[in-house]
Structure formats: structure tokens, C-alpha cells
Amino acid sequence: TITVNSGSICAGQIFTLNPTGANTYIFSNGSHTVNPISTSSYSVSGISVQGCESSNTVVATVSVNSLPVISVNSGSICAGQTFTINPSGAASYTYSNGSNTVNPLPGITHYSITGTDLFGCESLSSISTVTTYALPIIAVNSGSTCAGQTFTINPSGAVTYTYSNGSNTVN
């Protein structure tokens, strides 16, 4: 009398059939290891030390859980800012840099993220691309003026400017 285990795997994994109760075994697929692409059943019979084949054939069922498919955001920030990677599609996530909050140097940086579902199946890696723009380096004129006259501040190096008094003309 033989018995065999059943179980579940993640897509792409190998499952090992472990029968008991006989000396040698005959597997319907020819091997004690299986790699099904969907839920499948395998029959197993056994042969005793004396060469007698079991009267019963047992069936092992292997369920296949699909891998989670995750999506991640990408974006751009200015140097010194942080960017939050917000993945979806799994129960938990692993980040190549260890965190979902990043503060990259200027340039383009890629972060790899994998997700694990409730069955323990791990997704393929998804990539979040963060573009970090360098801060502008501005220059500004200085000068002097006589009382009652105005002075115009003329900055350069950026597209727009913010003035502490609200205007580039001071008196």
C-alpha cells in the first residue's frame, strides 16, 4: 500500500513527489520531479522488494500558483528631494536599494522591485526609473544706488526667480 504527497508550487518551480510504502516506484510522468505549468495530477504505483506491484495507484495533485504581476511608478525630482516608489500587485515588496523612498544623485537611476504574493510566489523584477535634475546655479548682480533711486536685480542661471521682497526692483 503506497501513499504520495500532494502540494502547491509557484509557476516555474519544481515539485518532488515523495511516495512511501514500496521499494521502487513507477511514476506516470516518468520521474519523481515535476514542473507543471498548471494544476496537474500524477499517478504513482509501487513495487515491493519481492517484485510485487501495488494493487492501488495513488494520485498526487500539484497546484500551480501564478506569479504576481507588479507595476511600479517612475518619475522625476530635483536634487535633494526624495521620491517614493509605489508598487502594486503583490502583498509585499523587496527594493534593490532596501527602501521604497529614494534620494538619488542627479542623473537617471533605476531601481529594481520584486513582489511576493500571499502564496509566497515572487514576481519578476520591475524597474522604477527616477530622473533627478541638478539644482540651478544662479548668479546675481550687486551694486549701489543713491537714496530715492531704484536698483534692478538681474539674476541669471535659471528660468524663473523668487525675490525676497517680491520684485527684482528695489528702492
Side-chain angles (χ1 to χ4, degrees), residues 137-162:
I137 298 173
I138 62 169
V140 65
N141 63 321
S142 294
S144 60
T145 186
C146 296
Q149 291 182 335
T150 60
F151 180 80
T152 302
I153 301 169
N154 292 312
S156 62
V159 176
T160 61
Y161 304 93
T162 303

Side-chain angles (χ1 to χ4, degrees), residues 43-130:
S43 59
V44 181
S45 59
I47 300 173
S48 69
V49 174
Q50 296 80 14
C52 300
E53 190 170 337
S54 61
S55 60
N56 69 320
T57 298
V58 292
V59 176
T61 301
V62 180
S63 300
V64 179
N65 298 311
S66 60
L67 302 180
V69 176
I70 65 169
S71 61
V72 297
N73 60 319
S74 293
S76 60
I77 57 173
C78 293
Q81 294 179 328
T82 58
F83 182 82
T84 302
I85 302 168
N86 293 312
S88 62
S92 64
Y93 303 94
T94 303
Y95 304 90
S96 60
N97 68 316
S99 173
N100 72 324
T101 303
V102 296
N103 185 3
L105 295 173
I108 298 173
T109 308
H110 304 284
Y111 298 95
S112 175
I113 299 93
T114 58
T116 304
D117 67 12
L118 296 175
F119 298 111
C121 298
E122 188 174 288
S123 71
L124 300 174
S125 292
S126 288
I127 302 296
S128 175
T129 301
V130 179

